[in-house]
Amino acid sequence: METETLKLTGKHFSKLGLMYFLGTLLIIGLQYGEYYFFCAFFPYVLENQTIYFLIQMLSMYAITMPLMGLLIRTVPASTGEKKKMSFGKWICAFLIAYAAMYLANIVGNIITAIIGSIKGSAVSNDIISIATSNSTFVNLIIMVILAPIAEELLFRKMLVDRTVKYGEGIAVFTSALFFGLFHGNLNQFAYAFVIGGIFAYVYVKTRNVKYTIFLHMLINFMGSVLSLGVIRLAHLEELLSGTLTTNEEMMAYLMNNLTGLAIFMIYFLLIIALVITGIILFAINARKITFEKTEDTVPKGKRFITYYINIGMLAFIIFWIIRIIFQLFS
């Protein structure tokens, strides 16, 4: 009986991983198709990074991600009763998630810096260059509205609903792992894995995806709209671009931008206050974090192999690990 249960569980996870893998291929396939299409017929589109970014993102959120969702829906899901989350608890979750993201991002940057020093060149972080080159309106539409809605539906609601019957811990870890890998680079994997786990925990306990969508929106707003807005308001683009190479240039720039530096310092202190508050709140609430088990939980010692060592899961995980490694050393 146990052997049959393990076999059925393995098939369930394998099919789930395969659907996410096939969805990934659809997304990447369309992106390459668009690239070669524009190369052949409209090469000038590729010269405008913002327009090309918009085309790729809109086609992903309007075409390939919905198709990915249809593939995932072929895997059986379990439903749960929605529970309300007070605004105070939601704010607490945001502060904890923001602090975790901030600290994980530092760790990710340190790791990539070490790798960069080993290979002799810096590891590129495409998301930063894309965000800084886009207008505030584009970042607001893509990163603050469309991305949180699509990603929370795919990596929280749909993924958790199909894994939570095997235990809340497994559902949270799988959601965090898939979400982190899907970002495709080590810089983002570090913090996406962490906040993905926090978002998944919120969804597991409430079974209401609107809470995680709004959490995701606020996190992305802080990173891609507010922070860049402060940098532009403070006129710090030149300082952060690395074009100032001499001490004289640096001093002249700083003396001419004292007001901008003051604005940025106030914002930086606000961020530090948010991070410290999040750390304190996590320390206070750490003992309240619990993961319910179910009757379908696989026995200890067989969980990792049953859940993740199968064709579908390995296809998705290995595919993204290879892409992350390639990005690191390209």
Side-chain angles (χ1 to χ4, degrees):
M1 185 66 179
E2 181 180 299
T3 302
E4 184 65 21
T5 299
L6 294 178
K7 186 177 180 180
L8 291 174
T9 301
K11 285 184 177 180
H12 176 84
F13 275 84
S14 182
K15 184 177 181 181
L16 182 62
L18 184 61
M19 294 304 103
Y20 276 88
F21 174 64
L22 293 177
T24 296
L25 295 183
L26 285 174
I27 292 172
I28 295 176
L30 180 61
Q31 289 177 344
Y32 276 110
E34 289 171 341
Y35 174 77
Y36 289 117
F37 173 78
F38 289 120
C39 280
F41 300 103
F42 305 101
Y44 60 88
V45 173
L46 299 177
E47 298 174 2
N48 190 317
Q49 186 176 2
T50 298
I51 296 298
Y52 184 52
F53 172 76
L54 272 174
I55 292 172
Q56 282 203 316
M57 293 298 101
L58 291 176
S59 63
M60 181 175 72
Y61 293 126
I63 300 172
T64 48
M65 277 195 163
L67 290 175
M68 186 177 183
L70 291 176
L71 289 172
I72 298 168
R73 284 175 64 88
T74 63
V75 181
S78 58
T79 58
E81 181 182 354
K82 291 183 178 180
K83 299 178 181 178
K84 290 184 177 182
M85 185 180 193
S86 68
F87 183 70
K89 289 184 177 180
W90 186 86
I91 289 295
C92 180
F94 161 72
L95 291 169
I96 292 173
Y98 189 81
M101 180 198 69
Y102 192 90
L103 297 176
N105 188 42
I106 292 175
V107 173
N109 287 333
I110 291 173
I111 294 174
T112 52
I114 293 173
I115 293 174
S117 65
I118 293 174
K119 73 170 190 171
S121 61
V123 176
S124 62
N125 191 343
D126 294 336
I127 191 63
I128 292 179
S129 61
I130 290 173
T132 53
S133 64
N134 288 337
S135 68
T136 300
F137 177 76
V138 170
N139 287 340
L140 185 65
I141 296 298
I142 301 298
M143 299 183 181
V144 180
I145 297 176
L146 295 181
I149 293 174
E151 291 174 2
E152 290 308 306
L153 290 174
L154 287 176
F155 293 99
R156 241 62 66 191
K157 179 171 176 53
M158 301 191 79
L159 185 51
V160 170
D161 284 354
R162 286 158 178 79
T163 52
V164 72
K165 68 175 290 186
Y166 302 97
E168 290 181 350
I170 294 300
V172 169
F173 176 78
T174 306
S175 174
L177 178 64
F178 274 38
F179 184 61
L181 289 172
F182 188 77
H183 282 74
N185 63 79
L186 187 58
N187 296 82
Q188 288 182 281
F189 173 82
Y191 65 79
F193 176 83
V194 173
I195 64 172
I198 295 172
F199 291 169
Y201 184 79
V202 171
Y203 179 72
V204 158
K205 295 303 182 182
T206 64
R207 300 303 285 268
N208 194 331
V209 75
K210 73 178 182 182
Y211 295 127
T212 63
I213 288 176
F214 289 132
L215 281 173
H216 201 152
M217 284 181 171
L218 186 53
I219 289 284
N220 281 13
F221 175 80
M222 294 285 291
S224 63
V225 174
L226 182 60
S227 61
L228 293 178
V230 171
I231 289 172
R232 289 165 180 166
L233 178 65
H235 306 292
L236 297 180
E237 298 97 324
E238 187 178 357
L239 178 63
L240 299 177
S241 66
T243 56
L244 304 176
T245 56
T246 66
N247 291 333
E248 291 77 12
E249 290 177 336
M250 182 71 72
M251 288 302 299
Y253 177 83
L254 294 177
M255 292 303 296
N256 291 328
N257 289 276
L258 292 177
T259 302
L261 290 172
I263 293 173
F264 184 78
M265 184 58 65
I266 293 172
Y267 174 73
F268 178 73
L269 292 175
L270 173 63
I271 295 302
I272 295 301
L274 292 178
V275 171
I276 293 174
T277 302
I279 293 172
I280 293 172
L281 287 173
F282 176 76
I284 293 173
N285 292 279
R287 292 184 178 181
K288 299 178 183 178
I289 299 174
T290 58
F291 296 98
E292 292 185 10
K293 297 181 180 180
T294 68
E295 295 179 359
D296 297 306
T297 301
V298 174
K300 289 183 179 180
K302 298 182 180 180
R303 295 174 183 173
F304 182 80
I305 293 176
T306 303
Y307 298 141
Y308 304 113
I309 307 302
N310 51 67
I311 294 175
M313 284 286 175
L314 288 176
F316 180 85
I317 293 170
I318 292 175
F319 176 85
W320 281 109
I321 289 176
I322 291 174
R323 282 184 64 90
I324 290 173
I325 294 174
F326 179 79
Q327 185 270 339
L328 284 173
F329 294 97
S330 60

